[in-house]
Amino acid sequence: MNVLNIPVDDALLAAWRGWLAPARQPFYLTGAEADALEIETVPRAGLTLTPEERDTVTEWNISALADRVAWLTLAAVDALPPASRRALLRAQVRHGRGNVPLGRAFPELGLPPGRFLWRPEQLTAGVLARVVAASGVPCQRSEVPPGVWRAAQEVLPGARALAGSFPRGSAGNCFGTVMGAAGVPGAAAEWMQREPFEAFLQGRTRPGGRDDRAGTVLLWRSRDGLAQHAAVTLGGGWALHKAAQTWWTPRVVLPTPTLIRASRSVGWRLSRRQLR
């Protein structure tokens, strides 16, 4: 099947299902909330999550006030009194935890309208496609003329293989995608940090570049000078990027002006560097 115009195989669908409906998952609470719900918790400090768990619960977005964590199975959540279960899920939303959907958003499942947790059997291929596509934009790889790909091959030998693909997990981000498109082995599968990306920019690019040519790195920096996002032009008015590091974010091709508009953020400044 296709999700955001990108082919997705059964193995990846199964992985998505496992990340959205794990056997056990973390619930974030304040000490007072944990006491009121009579739920056993551990300190959040020192909590270790897999990269996929981190993404699924949007760990970076969770309030610092929620300093306790309860690891619960679905069966344990189901065993709570209904009022406690509702309070637990509302607390997750209040603290910024992800993956607590609303039943009213999925009428085909016949669920109550409030918050719920995914069960594997609910995550059919169609439902998975809706969940993943909700935060993305369709890839336009198929619209790129063959001549553009041929012209880009010399400077971007890895771009065509990456364009229109989902990562096989939470590894991979915008910096790694640019480096992988430029032919750096293994870069696209890494959560590339700023230091190696800056070294790549210094060694493989020079200031300048044009949006209508292949190999112009579009680079957004915040006011403190830190690189925040990157993309690369394919030529012919097209560009490639991975909009976020999360497992549900694909590497997509968009018209260059569309990609630039979508990547804007308050306080970020766009500059350009040409691959060499």
Side-chain angles (χ1 to χ4, degrees):
M1 69 177 300
N2 285 347
V3 179
L4 296 173
N5 293 338
I6 298 169
V8 177
D9 59 29
D10 289 344
L12 188 53
L13 289 174
W16 289 353
R17 190 174 293 113
W19 297 329
L20 288 168
R24 190 181 71 135
Q25 55 187 288
F27 295 84
Y28 297 77
L29 299 164
T30 65
E33 290 167 342
D35 291 342
L37 293 171
E38 299 182 340
I39 292 177
E40 184 178 348
T41 61
V42 296
R44 181 178 170 188
L47 177 68
T48 300
L49 300 176
T50 68
E52 290 75 28
E53 287 171 336
R54 177 201 65 215
D55 285 354
T56 301
V57 301
T58 59
E59 197 271 341
W60 58 85
N61 194 47
I62 296 172
S63 169
L65 297 175
D67 58 356
R68 307 292 300 180
V69 176
W71 283 95
L72 301 175
T73 62
L74 281 173
V77 175
D78 288 345
L80 294 172
S84 296
R85 187 164 59 249
R86 290 191 296 270
L88 174 67
L89 298 186
R90 286 197 298 267
Q92 303 317 293
V93 177
R94 186 166 60 251
H95 293 315
R97 203 204 94 154
N99 198 32
V100 193
L102 279 166
R104 69 173 66 98
F106 300 90
E108 70 274 25
L109 298 179
L111 298 169
R115 298 289 175 177
F116 72 99
L117 299 173
W118 287 115
R119 299 169 190 274
E121 62 272 17
Q122 294 169 331
L123 291 166
T124 63
V127 170
L128 282 168
R130 283 185 55 197
V131 172
V132 171
S135 58
V137 296
C139 180
Q140 298 183 39
R141 181 185 190 276
S142 62
E143 303 299 315
V144 179
V148 170
W149 291 118
R150 288 194 296 270
Q153 177 64 28
E154 182 175 355
V155 67
L156 296 170
R160 194 167 190 175
L162 289 173
S165 66
F166 281 97
R168 296 280 166 170
S170 293
N173 60 4
C174 61
F175 301 150
T177 296
V178 170
M179 293 170 66
V184 178
E190 291 188 31
W191 189 7
M192 192 63 62
Q193 300 300 305
R194 288 190 178 96
E195 291 79 5
F197 181 64
E198 293 285 3
F200 164 81
L201 291 176
Q202 289 302 311
R204 292 284 307 276
T205 71
R206 55 177 172 76
R210 288 172 41 177
D211 291 358
D212 60 348
R213 292 184 178 177
T216 298
V217 177
L218 305 171
L219 179 63
W220 286 263
R221 294 187 184 275
S222 49
R223 292 189 178 98
D224 56 9
L226 293 177
Q228 298 294 341
H229 185 57
V232 65
T233 61
L234 303 173
W238 299 96
L240 167 70
H241 80 156
K242 189 175 189 293
Q245 85 280 0
T246 50
W247 58 256
W248 60 82
T249 305
R251 309 168 186 104
V252 300
V253 174
L254 297 171
T256 303
T258 301
L259 187 151
I260 289 173
R261 285 195 299 271
S263 300
R264 287 174 179 161
S265 187
V266 175
W268 291 8
R269 183 176 179 180
L270 173 62
S271 63
R272 292 165 173 82
R273 298 186 67 90
Q274 180 67 42
L275 283 166
R276 57 187 178 189

